[in-house]
Amino acid sequence: MKLFDRDLSWLSFNYRVLMEAMDDSVPLLERLRFIAIYSSNLDEFFRVRVANIRNIKQIDKKKINKRVDFDAKLLLEDIHREVSHQLGEYGKVLKGIIQEFSTKGYHICTKVDEIPQSLHPQLLHYFKTKIAAYLKPIDLASREELFLDNQAIYLVVTVESGKIFILNIPSNELGRFSNYRVGDDHYHLFIDDIIRLHLDLVFPDFKITGSYSIKLNKDADLQIDDEFEGNLVRKIEKQIQKRNLGIPSRFLYDAAMDDKSLSILAEKLQLSPEDMITGGRYHNLNDFFEIQVSNPAFSYDNRSSIIVPDLQKSPSVFRCIEMQDFLLHFPYQSYDYILQFFNEAAIDPDVEEINVTFYRMAKNSMIGEALISAAKNGKKVAVFMEVKARFDEKNNLDWAQKMKDAGVKIIYSLPGLKVHAKVALVKKKDKMYGFFGTGNLNEKTSEIYCDHGLLTTHEAMTQELSNLFQHLLTKYTPPSFGHLIVSQFGALEQFHSKIDREIRMAEAGKEARIIVKVNNLQEVSLIEKLYEASKKGVDVKLIVRSICCLVPNKNLQVKRIVDRYLEHGRVFYFHNDDNPEIYLGSADWMNRNLHRRIEVCYPIYSDAMKQEILTILKFQWQDDIKGVWLSQKMKNKRPKADRNIRAQEETYNYLLNKDKVT
């Protein structure tokens, strides 16, 4: 069975992100932000995936199959080759964006001599009063080994005497850019160049001959998933502290640096040739997120959240849910209704209990504050906090402690598993109210992630959710799930069964159709089933944003959408002999989601809601502006724009007209 490599497929997705930066129809500042997203994505890829592949490669050959070691070496070569190709295009795209900004009076200076002389006195004052306080020059000759902070940027400064110095760039403390105005023109200056302009003040006894930017990525994955003994929270806290000590996974350096300095750095940092990646004059270009431009033409148009009339008019979310279910689509429709759900639960005297799962909490979470209030108001509040959510471990731990101090019962991660479900349950004496989502309970990401959420009092679904919370909180073994699809409780088998049913329909000459929309598609047995279904005549449509290990063919196409918002919802449609089943949920079709996580997928029973989902899926499948086809060579192939359909615009207008208050 032919499969794409997971990591090369991810690189194909990240290139699709870069394509948005190339697109002249995207507002200029948004193109710069896509440059920043691409850079941030690639950084994390090297910190986690490449570091893990290198760890596999370096394991004692006696402990692993030699073929695995060989494959890891080849994969790293393929990754570096593809990244090198992409970065070449990245540089050209960025140069074009910066030039276009300049023609409009906004100058992102990329050389010291581009900085107007009239700004030099202000820059000198800024350097002497602010920047200089953070500088810590290191004479390389004084160190047998050199320690660099993970992801931090530095200047390598060479002087005429032959000495080499390392100088930190305090962008975390002061920001990466300083902004100035000269007449009608705006200037955005890298802090790197403000430091370069004043190196004679840092090294007054030397004649500067060169300054070159460097950056070191380190393995940032916490090795804690399978630890069963001891205090898990304490282990995670220790691992977070050690993250800065990880093994190198990528050393970026300015291509203009001389070979002698590069060789000395490699020795001091104990780098291998494959660690060393040629870069440009600047690193950490995810810092472009800092640049703000007041001209509205440079950004996406402001878009108001769509209100839901019944929820908007009612003083009580619970009263509305008692009358009917509500399917919400974010960020198109307002996330305020989810905040109201928790706020009302906190103060409603009839609410006795609240249960919630968190995977990634907002830094200033209003939901967290509502749960604290609920506990202080005498409610029984229990939170399952996943503290193994990569790069959100500390924020989740901080919130867990804050809620625990307020009387919320906190249950931490399960050994060997991550809980990725996006669910909440509010209990009154005689009724339960459930929230089922495809995205995190996070009001910040809800502004930019496309997700779905169901508010319901469906008795069987809320009872099954209650059983799941009992399992998470007390290790109680729940009865079988008849409505929810829950990984670790037969999810994989249920998906297999539903695909097999469509195959039987096709073999019987009946209409058979499957639509799967996920972020990632990797699980081999499901891919094998999809291949089989397409060969047997099932109409299979796949919308996969990121990793896709399935290789498309004539009868099995894959659409990828990257646009203003991040497509994040997971949707599963099975035609079921003209009695369609639709599930939404948190589970991608990945090994990790179906084998090493607890996920919840939930059914949509309302015919009207099913039609809503199908309408949105139709827009996505027909998208010929932001949608591309994944080719058999893992390329992003643009369709002919004959329909001129942009799914996110169509979805917004559809929901606006459907729910508009008259």
Side-chain angles (χ1 to χ4, degrees), residues 198-448:
H198 301 96
L199 284 175
D200 59 323
L201 300 180
V202 184
F203 305 103
D205 299 328
F206 299 95
K207 183 177 180 181
I208 309 297
T209 57
S211 61
Y212 314 98
S213 180
I214 60 170
K215 169 189 166 182
L216 186 64
N217 284 123
K218 300 179 182 180
D219 181 355
D221 205 14
L222 305 188
Q223 305 300 319
I224 50 180
D225 280 10
D226 296 317
E227 295 195 23
F228 290 80
E229 301 298 330
N231 186 324
L232 179 61
V233 171
R234 184 63 192 133
K235 287 181 179 179
I236 291 173
E237 289 172 340
K238 287 182 178 179
Q239 288 289 325
I240 291 171
Q241 293 168 4
K242 291 180 179 178
R243 189 168 254 158
N244 204 32
L245 305 175
I247 64 169
S249 60
R250 180 175 67 153
F251 177 73
L252 274 173
Y253 62 92
D254 186 338
M257 191 188 304
D258 61 281
D259 291 341
K260 178 185 176 184
S261 298
L262 192 58
S263 177
I264 292 172
L265 280 170
E267 181 182 350
K268 297 282 186 182
L269 291 167
Q270 300 180 4
L271 300 173
S272 64
E274 63 188 20
D275 295 325
M276 305 178 75
I277 308 293
T278 306
R281 180 177 171 84
Y282 306 97
H283 309 309
N284 273 9
L285 295 185
N286 55 309
D287 289 335
F288 279 132
F289 279 121
E290 292 181 18
I291 290 184
Q292 300 296 322
V293 176
S294 57
N295 189 333
F298 289 0
S299 302
Y300 290 125
D301 59 297
N302 285 326
R303 183 177 282 172
S304 300
S305 295
I306 299 167
I307 65 172
V308 179
D310 289 339
L311 290 171
Q312 190 74 14
K313 290 183 292 187
S314 174
S316 169
V317 172
F318 292 147
R319 201 172 303 159
C320 288
I321 305 171
E322 288 168 7
M323 296 170 64
Q324 68 177 90
D325 290 355
F326 287 88
L327 179 61
L328 302 175
H329 312 279
F330 314 116
Y332 310 107
Q333 293 170 313
S334 176
Y335 201 76
D336 287 351
Y337 306 119
I338 305 306
L339 301 182
Q340 291 172 29
F341 176 83
F342 287 100
N343 292 345
E344 188 174 336
I347 61 176
D348 187 330
D350 293 330
V351 169
E352 298 178 344
E353 190 172 340
I354 306 172
N355 296 329
V356 188
T357 60
F358 283 113
Y359 191 73
R360 298 188 192 277
M361 289 190 75
K363 187 174 182 180
N364 300 304
S365 174
M366 294 304 297
I367 298 174
E369 295 293 349
L371 295 175
I372 287 171
S373 295
K376 290 184 175 181
N377 291 338
K379 319 295 184 191
K380 185 179 177 183
V381 184
V383 166
F384 186 92
M385 180 65 77
E386 182 52 76
V387 291
K388 294 182 289 188
R390 186 181 295 129
F391 303 130
D392 278 278
E393 302 98 344
K394 186 177 186 308
N395 183 59
N396 285 1
L397 283 169
D398 289 346
W399 265 109
Q401 188 60 53
K402 185 176 180 180
M403 289 190 286
K404 189 175 182 180
D405 291 344
V408 175
K409 180 178 181 181
I410 301 293
I411 306 296
Y412 295 104
S413 303
L414 297 174
L417 290 173
K418 286 184 180 180
V419 176
H420 192 247
K422 325 294 188 184
V423 289
L425 186 66
V426 174
K427 295 182 179 182
K428 294 185 180 180
K429 190 172 184 178
D430 58 347
K431 193 172 286 291
M432 292 189 286
Y433 305 80
F435 171 78
F436 298 86
T438 65
N440 292 306
L441 283 161
N442 183 318
E443 57 269 34
K444 189 64 178 175
T445 56
S446 73
E447 297 173 359
I448 54 173

Side-chain angles (χ1 to χ4, degrees), residues 178-209:
S178 289
N179 307 312
Y180 300 90
R181 188 166 182 166
V182 179
D184 292 331
D185 285 351
H186 301 261
Y187 288 85
H188 303 276
L189 310 183
F190 282 94
I191 190 175
D192 319 33
D193 287 332
I194 300 174
I195 294 172
R196 283 184 168 110
L197 200 59
H198 301 96
L199 284 175
D200 59 323
L201 300 180
V202 184
F203 305 103
D205 299 328
F206 299 95
K207 183 177 180 181
I208 309 297
T209 57

